[in-house]
């Protein structure tokens, strides 16, 4: 998934945000990755030991998900700067560095010995390596397995191998525990995951689709993905006709969407999810980042499935 090929308005906003941002409070134009105490955040990080002497001492992160991962594995004290969209954890040293238009000269001002990116935009990797700065790329994960591998990659790169491995194992266990405890309905429920109010969604073959698949949910956006991108724009008519049992809104912060607002859309008052109140407001950031707070997303989806199943 290369951000350089994406243009607004189409899926550019959605896909670009999936890779780099989540909506956040700082950028109303970029969307898609709940409050609650984050399971994989600092509060639940594996015991962090001191990084070895040869570990990088000054890290710059140019990706919000990478920033969350670095702090979760205990490398936060080594981070000297993060991009302007890295809004979690709150004490991360946010700057005006751009994740979408990275500037090598601006990055080098922080004299980092490691820079973490999610995509090699405008040849930023080669430019930094040309001045002897190590670069680690953690592209948008398509599966849980890829996400866990990225934790280990960052752990190795930062001198926190043990902490990263422990966190990955804890996340796996926490997710398995959540899924095991959720009472699943006899008949699989259908759902629609909204990235923005124009109908962009993500299908079963995306990372977010894998979260829903944990609970056997069936994605109504799959049939609309004619080009196989994984992020189709689904017509309102298709959504109404599909009549999903659940609707998940990943555009609550960027676009102030909620049950009340979607109920006013033409025909949506006839949708089962709207009638039963099974419209779930997600935190845009958590719903778009494949990092430590995925556990929180899984918990939210699990609770929604249990509630909707009881009403089915």
């Amino acid at each position: 998934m290369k951000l350089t090929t994406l243009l607004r308005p189409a899926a550019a906003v959605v896909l670009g945000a999936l890779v780099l941002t989540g909506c956040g409070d700082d950028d109303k134009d970029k969307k898609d990755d709940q409050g609650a105490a984050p399971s994989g955040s600092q509060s639940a990080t594996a015991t962090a030991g001191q990084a070895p002497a040869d570990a990088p001492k000054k890290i710059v992160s140019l990706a919000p998900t990478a920033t969350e991962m670095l702090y979760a594995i205990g490398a936060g004290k080594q981070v000297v700067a993060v991009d302007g969209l890295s809004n979690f954890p709150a004490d991360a040293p946010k700057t005006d560095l751009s994740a979408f238009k990275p500037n090598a000269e601006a990055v080098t001002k922080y004299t980092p010995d490691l820079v973490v990116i999610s995509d090699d935009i405008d040849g930023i990797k080669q430019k930094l390596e040309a001045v002897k700065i190590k670069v680690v790329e953690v592209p948008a994960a398509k599966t849980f397995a890829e996400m866990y591998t990225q934790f280990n990659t960052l752990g190795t790169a930062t001198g926190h191998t043990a902490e990263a491995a422990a966190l990955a194992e804890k996340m796996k266990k926490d997710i398995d525990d959540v899924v095991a405890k959720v009472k699943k309905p006899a008949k699989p429920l259908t759902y629609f995951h909204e990235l923005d109010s124009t109908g962009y969604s993500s299908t079963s073959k995306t990372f977010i689709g894998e979260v829903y698949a944990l609970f056997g949910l069936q994605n109504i956006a799959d049939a609309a993905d004619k080009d196989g991108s994984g992020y189709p724009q689904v017509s309102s008519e298709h959504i109404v006709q599909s009549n999903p049992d659940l609707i998940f809104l990943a555009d609550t912060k960027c676009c102030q969407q909620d049950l009340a607002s979607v109920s006013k859309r033409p025909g949506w008052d006839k949708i089962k999810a709207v009638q039963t109140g099974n419209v779930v407001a997600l935190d845009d950031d958590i719903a778009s980042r494949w990092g430590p707070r995925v556990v929180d997303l899984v918990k939210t989806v699990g609770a929604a499935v249990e509630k909707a199943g009881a009403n089915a």
Side-chain angles (χ1 to χ4, degrees):
M1 185 187 302
K2 296 296 182 182
L3 295 185
T4 49
T5 65
L6 303 175
L7 300 173
R8 187 170 179 68
V13 178
V14 175
L15 299 182
L18 259 174
V19 176
L20 291 175
T21 72
C23 180
D25 295 323
D26 304 297
D27 192 336
K28 301 285 184 184
D29 286 329
K30 301 178 179 68
K31 337 181 165 41
D32 193 9
D33 193 338
Q34 281 146 60
S39 304
S41 67
Q42 290 167 288
S43 61
T45 301
T47 302
Q50 293 297 317
D54 60 347
K57 294 177 174 57
K58 300 178 75 174
I59 301 172
V60 170
S61 173
L62 295 180
T65 295
T67 298
E68 294 196 21
M69 286 182 163
L70 288 167
Y71 275 82
I73 64 174
K77 291 181 179 179
Q78 295 152 260
V79 178
V80 296
V82 301
D83 68 280
L85 294 169
S86 285
N87 56 7
F88 188 90
D91 60 348
K94 188 158 68 170
T95 69
D96 59 0
L97 291 174
S98 173
F100 283 95
K101 293 186 178 297
N103 181 296
E105 183 178 356
V107 172
T108 58
K109 289 180 179 178
Y110 293 92
T111 62
D113 41 14
L114 175 67
V115 174
V116 184
I117 62 175
S118 68
D119 198 9
D120 188 13
I121 302 173
D122 296 335
I124 185 66
K125 184 175 182 179
Q126 182 179 3
K127 293 173 183 177
L128 293 172
E129 290 179 339
V131 291
K132 310 302 182 185
I133 297 174
K134 182 179 179 180
V135 177
V136 172
E137 188 173 352
V138 285
K142 297 183 179 68
T143 64
F144 280 88
E146 288 184 9
M147 174 182 67
Y148 295 133
T149 295
Q150 289 184 6
F151 276 113
N152 292 324
T153 296
L154 290 178
T156 300
T158 62
H160 294 276
T161 305
E163 295 99 315
L167 178 59
E169 287 305 313
K170 183 179 186 304
M171 287 180 66
K172 291 177 186 177
K173 182 181 184 304
D174 289 346
I175 290 172
D176 286 346
D177 288 347
V178 171
V179 175
K181 292 176 182 177
V182 170
K183 296 179 181 177
K184 302 176 186 64
K187 181 182 177 181
L189 301 176
T190 57
Y191 77 96
F192 177 67
H193 178 87
E194 178 170 294
L195 298 179
D196 71 7
S197 58
T198 68
Y200 276 103
S201 185
S202 47
T203 67
S204 297
K205 69 179 184 180
T206 63
F207 182 88
I208 189 67
E210 187 161 324
V211 172
Y212 293 117
L214 292 171
F215 302 98
L217 299 182
Q218 297 180 346
N219 193 335
I220 68 164
D222 289 352
D225 192 19
K226 304 303 181 183
D227 62 0
S229 69
Y231 298 93
Q233 185 175 28
V234 186
S235 70
S236 183
E237 291 77 13
H238 177 76
I239 298 168
V240 172
Q241 290 174 5
S242 298
N243 194 26
D245 298 296
L246 285 155
I247 293 175
F248 295 91
L249 302 176
D251 52 357
T252 59
K253 292 164 68 175
C254 70
C255 313
Q256 294 76 52
Q257 296 302 299
D258 56 19
L259 173 60
S261 64
V262 301
S263 298
K264 297 175 183 177
R265 298 176 188 175
W268 283 53
D269 59 328
K270 303 294 193 299
I271 297 176
K272 187 183 301 181
V274 175
Q275 293 181 337
T276 57
N278 290 311
V279 175
V280 185
L282 302 176
D283 180 294
D284 302 27
D285 296 331
I286 297 175
S288 68
R289 298 177 187 172
W290 56 98
R293 293 191 287 171
V294 165
V295 177
D296 297 310
L297 178 60
V298 171
K299 288 179 178 179
T300 299
V301 174
V305 169
E306 201 160 70
K307 175 178 178 290
N311 298 331

